[in-house]
Amino acid sequence: MTGIQEETLRGFAIGLTHVGRVREQNEDTFFVDEQKGVFAVMDGAGGLCDGAMASGLVREALTSLTNPRSGEDLLEQFESRLIVAKDRIERASESADGAPMGTTIAALLTFKRNFACLWAGDSRVYRLRDSRLEQLTTDHTEAQELVDQNVLTVEEARTFARRHVITRAIGSGLDLELELVSGNLRPGDRFLLCSDGLTGHLEDPVIGTFLMNGASRLAAQSLINGALEEGGSDNVTVVIVDIDRLAGAEGTFN
């Protein structure tokens, strides 16, 4: 016995959602399961029929996740639940005479010392590490595509007429196409998952300032309040995950 103990890093989370100051219905929802290391924000796609149902069906599918044996197992379980959710959304669409239904998703999976982010649409995942905020996801929107092609600047994209048009989602008539990034966790990491009701009103430096202030619940409420004070034109949802240190073993996402 060397006395050296490997570590697993685990997330402790808070999620909040608000209908905003303009919308009558909240089409956002979120999912938090600290034990399984799964956190997600879903935003029913604007302009589609019953986005609240679509986002809710994804959340319902995630509730059947079981304790993972490995990072690969967690990833496979997560993706299989999204396939189930897409099938349910398609059936719900058929029952509504073919009216399109869809939702974005931004998810954080944690296992041992590692994480994976998976997303489709314009909900985002950020990481605050050593007081530096980094956007881990890239929006799947027409506006972002034009920024990538140097047709629009980032500033122009914020007021682009079609900035809310998403190019990927979990929905009827759409291929399920997720993007993934992965990396290592560190004690003290703070992740933010959010819908575009937050990022449409608050720029990254402001978001970073709120995230650095206080406990997770206070930071989450401050972010919600900040979006509301700037107009609250959309539903706004945030999930904050703080990474802490616990005893355990190594694990990876493959």
Side-chain angles (χ1 to χ4, degrees), residues 140-161:
H140 297 138
T141 61
E142 287 189 3
Q144 184 61 50
E145 288 182 353
L146 292 174
V147 170
D148 294 341
Q149 296 165 10
N150 295 319
V151 175
L152 294 177
T153 66
V154 173
E155 291 73 21
E156 290 169 340
R158 292 185 67 86
T159 57
F160 179 55

Side-chain angles (χ1 to χ4, degrees), residues 164-176:
H164 297 302
V165 177
I166 58 176
T167 56
R168 297 191 199 182
I170 304 172
S172 57
L174 300 171
D175 292 334
L176 180 56

Side-chain angles (χ1 to χ4, degrees), residues 21 34 50 52 110 142 164 177 223:
R21 298 192 182 278
E34 296 172 350
D50 207 346
T110 62
E142 287 189 3
H164 297 302
E177 188 177 1
L223 287 165

Side-chain angles (χ1 to χ4, degrees), residues 63-111:
T63 61
S64 66
L65 291 165
T66 61
N67 289 325
R69 300 183 303 274
S70 64
E72 183 178 16
D73 176 46
L74 179 57
L75 189 58
E76 289 177 352
Q77 284 197 55
F78 181 82
E79 291 176 336
S80 72
R81 296 324 187 264
L82 295 193
I83 292 172
V84 168
K86 175 175 165 52
D87 179 64
R88 292 174 179 171
I89 291 170
E90 289 176 341
R91 282 186 276 140
S93 173
E94 291 172 1
S95 298
D97 298 323
M101 295 182 182
T103 180
T104 71
I105 187 168
L108 172 70
L109 312 183
T110 62
F111 187 82

Side-chain angles (χ1 to χ4, degrees), residues 18 36 41-42 92 104 110 134-135 157 169 172 199 205 207 216 219 226 234 253:
H18 195 287
K36 299 179 182 69
V41 165
M42 285 74 66
T104 71
T110 62
E134 179 182 6
Q135 182 179 332
S172 57
T199 55
I207 291 173
S216 57
D234 198 356
F253 283 100

Side-chain angles (χ1 to χ4, degrees), residues 164-234:
H164 297 302
V165 177
I166 58 176
T167 56
R168 297 191 199 182
I170 304 172
S172 57
L174 300 171
D175 292 334
L176 180 56
E177 188 177 1
L178 299 173
E179 193 164 349
L180 182 150
V181 297
S182 60
N184 297 322
L185 297 168
R186 293 183 189 173
D189 281 349
R190 172 170 278 188
F191 290 87
L192 167 68
L193 292 70
C194 62
S195 63
D196 70 334
L198 181 76
T199 55
H201 286 297
L202 302 182
E203 296 187 4
D204 286 5
V206 177
I207 291 173
T209 298
F210 281 129
L211 281 178
M212 284 187 284
N213 290 334
S216 57
R217 179 174 289 277
L218 175 60
Q221 190 62 65
S222 296
L223 287 165
I224 295 282
N225 291 343
L228 295 177
E229 289 169 4
E230 291 298 320
S233 61
D234 198 356

